[in-house]
Amino acid sequence: MTQLRNTIRSLAMVALTVTALTPAAPLYGNADEEAAALIAPTPYEARYEARARGLSTDAYRNLVQTDTNVYQLGHGLSLRVLGANLITVTETSHFYWIDSGAVPVSYSYEQSGLRRRQEQISFDWEQQRASVVRNDRETDTAIYPGLLDNLSFTAQMSSQLNANADLLDVGTTLEYQILDGTEPETQVYRVAARETVETLAGALDTVLVERVREPDSDRSTRIWLAIDHEFVLAKLEQVEDGDTTELLLSAMTMGDVSLSQSE
């Protein structure tokens, strides 16, 4: 039973790792006025295989444009064994897109099965406050321009890499302010390499980005982003306490481009 709980926890961590205010007002901006405008991401649908502790299941990630400059990014997975729901995770971010990138409006995370967890965040940029509800406990916290959530920051990262080839140089660092839980935190990522990754949908030219953690941390997060497909997630590897959990792309549709798993 302990091993099963750890497997469920590992799959939930993948969902957390991987795992929409009027754009005219300067209050909502988060970039230097002289910086080049970031192009809004192209909507897409991607499927993945999630692996942890000898078990595997399907996962998905999709980006949908719901209105002018308004987007919804979703991520999730579900694992059933002998008809029983061991874990289902659904994660969603709504955000506006302005010249400086994503401006989150709401974020939600729901986990059900043997372990349950819920989190909802509502961003009020006029009041510069956010309401965070975790398992029915509500907290109010201050927010500031440039703050992102656990999903919208991935759209921001992909757009930045797509807009500026210089960011692909090995050693480049990318820093994000993310409202993770009830308090903002700084997450730093470093470009580690350019690699060809064999996914279930074929070989992809990728940039490997690693999260920068403390030297004594027992966790590592490595993200491979597809260079020729607007830096959509191609592969993710999370290691914690010696256990590895992985997401691997199996299919993707973006505009007229489709990738699929070979039969």
Side-chain angles (χ1 to χ4, degrees), residues 18 44 48 61 153-162 167-168 174 176 189-191 193-197 199 204-210 222-236 249 252:
V18 239
Y44 66 89
Y48 299 86
R61 174 170 286 212
F153 97 89
T154 64
Q156 184 81 7
M157 177 188 290
S158 294
S159 184
Q160 287 176 314
L161 293 172
N162 198 38
L167 295 180
L168 302 181
L174 301 167
Y176 301 95
Y189 292 81
R190 179 175 54 241
V191 175
R194 286 187 61 160
E195 296 182 356
T196 298
V197 172
T199 74
L204 296 176
D205 185 18
T206 71
V207 58
L208 168 59
V209 180
E210 299 177 335
R222 307 173 78 202
I223 305 168
W224 289 261
L225 303 172
I227 294 174
D228 296 328
H229 304 288
E230 296 190 16
F231 297 88
V232 164
L233 178 68
K235 179 181 176 181
L236 180 143
L249 182 71
M252 185 197 72

Side-chain angles (χ1 to χ4, degrees), residues 78-223:
S78 183
L79 175 63
R80 301 180 67 86
V81 175
L82 299 178
N85 178 28
L86 297 186
I87 180 173
T88 297
V89 172
T90 304
E91 191 176 14
T92 306
S93 172
H94 292 88
F95 54 89
Y96 275 90
W97 195 268
I98 60 175
D99 285 349
S100 54
V103 181
V105 170
S106 65
Y107 168 84
S108 65
Y109 176 90
E110 183 171 358
Q111 177 181 331
S112 61
L114 296 183
R115 299 183 65 181
R116 294 181 176 273
R117 177 186 164 194
Q118 289 184 323
E119 179 177 324
Q120 292 86 34
I121 303 176
S122 297
F123 295 82
D124 185 339
W125 291 102
E126 291 186 353
Q127 299 299 320
Q128 296 194 43
R129 309 293 298 180
S131 171
V132 182
V133 179
R134 267 192 165 184
N135 298 325
D136 298 326
R137 181 176 180 178
E138 185 171 0
T139 303
D140 185 73
T141 188
I143 59 176
Y144 45 82
L147 193 64
L148 300 164
D149 61 55
N150 267 317
L151 267 185
S152 61
F153 97 89
T154 64
Q156 184 81 7
M157 177 188 290
S158 294
S159 184
Q160 287 176 314
L161 293 172
N162 198 38
N164 188 350
D166 290 341
L167 295 180
L168 302 181
D169 292 342
V170 173
T172 298
T173 57
L174 301 167
E175 184 174 303
Y176 301 95
Q177 301 295 314
I178 299 172
L179 184 55
D180 185 16
T182 58
E183 296 294 335
E185 71 170 25
T186 301
Q187 293 188 12
V188 180
Y189 292 81
R190 179 175 54 241
V191 175
R194 286 187 61 160
E195 296 182 356
T196 298
V197 172
E198 292 291 340
T199 74
L200 299 174
L204 296 176
D205 185 18
T206 71
V207 58
L208 168 59
V209 180
E210 299 177 335
R211 182 169 175 183
V212 178
R213 300 183 185 273
E214 295 298 325
D216 60 349
S217 175
D218 63 357
R219 297 177 61 189
S220 69
T221 302
R222 307 173 78 202
I223 305 168

Side-chain angles (χ1 to χ4, degrees), residues 49 51 58 199-202 249-252 259-263:
E49 181 180 83
R51 306 167 181 167
D58 293 330
T199 74
L200 299 174
L249 182 71
S250 59
M252 185 197 72
L259 305 175
S260 60
Q261 185 171 357
S262 300
E263 297 297 335

Side-chain angles (χ1 to χ4, degrees), residues 13-106:
M13 285 302 300
V14 166
L16 273 171
T17 304
V18 239
T19 115
L21 303 143
T22 55
L27 169 65
Y28 312 133
N30 61 359
D32 191 312
E33 292 181 357
E34 297 182 357
L38 294 177
I39 298 174
T42 301
Y44 66 89
E45 174 78 29
R47 308 293 299 185
Y48 299 86
E49 181 180 83
R51 306 167 181 167
R53 293 175 171 264
L55 295 178
S56 65
T57 189
D58 293 330
Y60 71 87
R61 174 170 286 212
N62 54 33
L63 177 69
V64 179
Q65 183 172 359
T66 60
D67 203 341
T68 303
N69 296 325
V70 183
Y71 294 85
Q72 174 181 297
L73 180 59
H75 175 78
L77 58 82
S78 183
L79 175 63
R80 301 180 67 86
V81 175
L82 299 178
N85 178 28
L86 297 186
I87 180 173
T88 297
V89 172
T90 304
E91 191 176 14
T92 306
S93 172
H94 292 88
F95 54 89
Y96 275 90
W97 195 268
I98 60 175
D99 285 349
S100 54
V103 181
V105 170
S106 65

